[in-house]
Amino acid sequence: HSAALEVEADGSPPHRPDSTPEGPFSGPKTQDQLSVEPSGVLTARLASMAFSRTLLAAVMCVSLVGHHGASAFSITPAARLPASSFTGRCSRPTGAHVAPRLGGAAASRMVAAEPNTNHLRPAEIPYSIIKKLPKEYAWIVPEDDLDVKSRIKKYVEDGELIKTDELILTSWLDNFRKQLDSAPAPDAKNFCVEDYFSVLTELIRKERKRPHYFNDAEVTGTHYEPFNSHHEDSKFFDYQQFGVDVTRPLIDWENSKIAGAHNLEKIKKQLEAGENVVFCSNHQSESDTHCLFALMEDQIGPDFGKIARNTVFIAGERVLRDAIVVPFSRGCSLLTVYSKKHIASEPELKGAKMNHNGKTMKQLGMFFAKGGTCMWFAPSGGRDRRSGETGKVELAPFDPNAIEMMRQVADKAGALEKTHFYAMALATHNIFPPPSSVGGALVEERVVNYSPLGMAVSEEIGDIPVDMSLEGAELKKAIKASRVERANQVYALMKKDYELIGGYDQ
């Protein structure tokens, strides 16, 4: 499965040295993560997922249907491909037109997901808790007499891990084991969590020794690596399955909710027909990627799990710099962008970062032009957090420019007419809650909870017509208003679905 390959700004490979209401979410409210300030060169601020008109700094993913694996590219707004005709998938109302490069369908009724619509859910849980470390992972763990905590301590003493790694891994392990031991699912406590943390320790140790994505001298580039084939362990280690294995024991499968499965069936057909799909979703957990893998496969079926597993995520640089995150990032195909907030944080690298973002945009357009692309992204630009005032996990607002960026990229690729937009709601906060505040240290304390998950998909989103008889400033004002209205409608659909799957009960 795919991770990231470094490519310099000029396209050449980099130099690499050899080195609570009742319901499924009811119960005690979970505690948000605290920020852990790392020592030494790892001290950095968490990358903000801010959006701008020309920067897409959100988490998103692209699924390729009918391919052996996902392929990630980068896109630039400067790469203009043939424009679409803007005539819609349905006729325009009289006197109303969509603005050039904005869309092709007339306004249509927007419908949220309906309750109890997961007719695809299997009768019983389709997987078993792993009680013995698979041999596909076991080879990476040293054959010694040390338990995982003792081995971590030794690595810190030998300078192969840093003290922050020890603090995070040991507290995370204790928290993980406690959650499994107290889980209502009787088999959860049998998960061999200590063995999996032994594997994770070795992956982090390797990352400290030889960073997978970049080092201080090589911080920009297109991050993608087909099937991890550029590294010695890649032929044997399935990073994606490893991440799913770690996530599944924490999921309350019985009480997890899926709404709008019939919409997902429609989406599957659209992708198979070579059309594109874009999910406009909220974002709640650092593990949303693996939650999506598990929900689609375990709650809906293998065909949908395949779509989820072949995804490409756009994320900020943090997922490439945090050594504890990297083993999980390598289980996803990645495209990265530098956020608006941090694009100028290193003045000498600003040009290279902007060039990198441009390449990302250009390649995303190539995905749309090719067709069969499914994208998931968060127009909010960051994770939802629990409100100190309401005590509930509140939804972050959507940025109209973020949604417009996706439409413009599809349009410039000549693919807007075959690109379908849907709202998606996720209730995944409790399984891996974010820090209570935005920003802070690069490395976060990891806190997990045994929890049900939720996901809902709305009906397809229609377009917002613009009166093209307007001119000049009035036309620009109308176009801007249509973008805001579109974002408001998409957000309203997502919020309604969020309520439906019990998001506010987390």
Side-chain angles (χ1 to χ4, degrees), residues 202-210 233 239 330:
E202 298 305 317
L203 297 177
I204 297 170
R205 176 193 178 202
K206 183 174 71 63
E207 177 65 16
R208 292 290 185 209
K209 182 179 180 180
R210 184 194 62 196
D233 63 332
Y239 287 89
R330 292 189 68 177

Side-chain angles (χ1 to χ4, degrees), residues 102-124:
L102 294 183
S108 62
R109 185 172 63 98
M110 297 187 181
V111 183
E114 298 178 1
N116 303 319
T117 55
N118 186 13
H119 57 285
L120 301 175
R121 175 171 167 148
E124 56 185 29

Side-chain angles (χ1 to χ4, degrees), residues 94-353:
T94 303
H97 302 272
V98 292
R101 296 183 300 279
L102 294 183
S108 62
R109 185 172 63 98
M110 297 187 181
V111 183
E114 298 178 1
N116 303 319
T117 55
N118 186 13
H119 57 285
L120 301 175
R121 175 171 167 148
E124 56 185 29
I125 189 168
Y127 58 88
S128 300
I129 294 297
I130 299 174
K131 302 176 182 179
K132 181 179 180 181
L133 187 67
K135 63 181 181 179
E136 290 83 4
Y137 308 146
W139 61 271
I140 202 172
V141 180
E143 295 182 0
D144 55 31
D145 296 328
L146 298 178
D147 59 61
V148 59
K149 290 186 178 180
S150 298
R151 190 177 297 115
I152 292 171
K153 183 178 180 63
K154 179 179 183 301
Y155 287 159
V156 173
E157 293 172 349
D158 294 343
E160 296 185 274
L161 293 177
I162 64 174
K163 186 64 177 178
T164 302
D165 295 334
E166 181 180 13
L167 294 174
I168 291 176
L169 285 171
T170 54
S171 64
W172 188 9
L173 173 60
D174 291 342
N175 164 235
F176 206 120
R177 170 48 64 195
K178 181 179 179 180
Q179 288 296 312
L180 296 183
D181 288 345
S182 61
D187 210 28
K189 61 176 61 69
N190 295 323
F191 176 62
C192 52
V193 61
E194 288 79 11
D195 291 338
Y196 269 81
F197 267 73
S198 292
V199 175
L200 178 58
T201 297
E202 298 305 317
L203 297 177
I204 297 170
R205 176 193 178 202
K206 183 174 71 63
E207 177 65 16
R208 292 290 185 209
K209 182 179 180 180
R210 184 194 62 196
H212 176 66
Y213 299 105
F214 50 75
N215 55 40
D216 290 340
E218 300 162 344
V219 297
T220 62
T222 300
H223 305 289
Y224 179 64
E225 178 184 31
F227 302 103
N228 304 322
S229 60
H230 291 263
H231 296 280
E232 56 195 21
D233 63 332
S234 300
K235 299 176 182 178
F236 313 102
F237 197 88
D238 189 338
Y239 287 89
Q240 188 177 85
Q241 188 59 50
F242 176 79
V244 173
D245 288 351
V246 171
T247 305
R248 271 181 174 151
L250 293 168
I251 299 175
D252 181 352
W253 182 88
E254 187 65 35
N255 292 307
S256 292
K257 286 186 175 182
I258 299 289
H262 61 290
N263 295 327
L264 288 168
E265 290 181 302
K266 176 182 176 181
I267 287 166
K268 181 173 178 288
K269 293 178 180 179
Q270 288 172 333
L271 294 171
E272 290 172 343
E275 299 184 338
N276 304 311
V277 168
V278 176
F279 288 121
C280 304
S281 175
N282 66 318
H283 173 36
Q284 295 206 326
S285 166
E286 190 175 45
S287 64
D288 274 353
T289 53
H290 294 82
C291 290
L292 191 62
F293 298 157
L295 281 171
M296 296 280 275
E297 182 167 334
D298 301 338
Q299 294 282 337
I300 308 176
D303 288 344
F304 298 91
K306 182 179 179 181
I307 293 174
R309 283 175 176 263
N310 286 334
T311 59
V312 176
F313 297 86
I314 272 197
E317 59 181 336
R318 177 182 175 277
V319 300
L320 309 180
R321 288 193 174 188
D322 187 341
I324 294 178
V325 174
V326 167
F328 299 98
S329 297
R330 292 189 68 177
C332 313
S333 299
L334 292 175
L335 282 173
T336 61
V337 293
Y338 291 91
S339 69
K340 180 180 179 181
K341 179 178 179 181
H342 291 275
I343 195 78
S345 61
E346 301 164 294
E348 70 280 7
L349 296 173
K350 181 177 179 179
K353 290 179 179 180

Side-chain angles (χ1 to χ4, degrees), residues 436-456:
S436 57
S437 60
V438 179
L442 175 68
V443 181
E444 299 173 1
E445 181 186 22
R446 266 61 191 182
V447 175
V448 296
N449 299 281
Y450 181 84
S451 174
L453 304 178
M455 181 183 76

